[in-house]
Amino acid sequence: MGRIGRIALSAHGKRRLLDALALGADLAGIPDLAALRAEAVACGGAGAGLDPRVAFALDHLDAASLTELAHSIGLSAPRLRGLVRAQLGVPLARLRRWDRLRQAVVALPDGSVADAAARADFADQAHLTRTARELVGRTPSSLLI
């Protein structure tokens, strides 16, 4: 496993992580979770490597449910959540929310905010808007590129 605990980052390291999240000064980008994962490994060291079950979960964040995702790799949902948190330091639910927000932002140019919310499996437009404000501090329509 990689380092555990806080890692002091240089200004350059912080900028690389923010760029991977597409959170520049204007916060208008779409988070790239694969790039974030690569940058996190680069900053924290590769260690013993990422558990293949965690890597699979990261590649399938859009699975219908956490239970289905966990069972597809032979784990219970609580065990998968714990494994992801132990390896990445981020809750799996938060990563899934980021992925759904990314899907919604990608769908925005093709229709309304309500359509994008439906495509990304949000309950409604208000749910998408609350999630966007919580994760990036902006409304979904302001994230259009």
Side-chain angles (χ1 to χ4, degrees):
M1 218 182 289
R3 297 178 189 171
I4 296 176
R6 293 179 185 226
I7 299 170
L9 295 176
S10 65
H12 177 69
K14 290 176 189 176
R15 173 58 34 212
R16 287 176 57 177
L17 286 172
L18 289 173
D19 288 346
L21 272 173
L23 296 178
D26 61 357
L27 297 175
I30 300 169
D32 182 347
L33 296 178
L36 177 63
R37 181 171 115 194
E39 289 300 329
V41 169
C43 290
L50 191 61
D51 186 301
R53 298 168 296 183
V54 172
F56 182 88
L58 291 175
D59 290 338
H60 296 87
L61 288 171
D62 60 348
S65 75
L66 179 57
T67 302
E68 289 177 13
L69 176 60
H71 287 297
S72 70
I73 54 178
L75 296 173
S76 67
R79 178 65 185 121
L80 177 59
R81 283 193 303 268
L83 188 60
V84 168
R85 182 146 185 131
Q87 288 231 313
L88 301 177
V90 178
L92 182 57
R94 179 160 301 172
L95 293 173
R96 287 173 52 94
R97 289 175 63 213
W98 269 108
D99 187 60
R100 286 180 38 222
L101 179 59
R102 181 194 56 78
Q103 291 174 32
V105 170
V106 167
L108 277 172
D110 298 333
S112 68
V113 175
D115 291 338
R119 286 186 191 169
D121 292 327
F122 284 93
D124 55 24
Q125 179 177 344
H127 183 205
L128 169 58
T129 300
R130 283 191 307 274
T131 300
R133 282 191 187 274
E134 180 182 337
L135 295 178
V136 295
R138 307 266 307 262
T139 63
S141 58
S142 72
L143 296 173
L144 278 171
I145 297 173

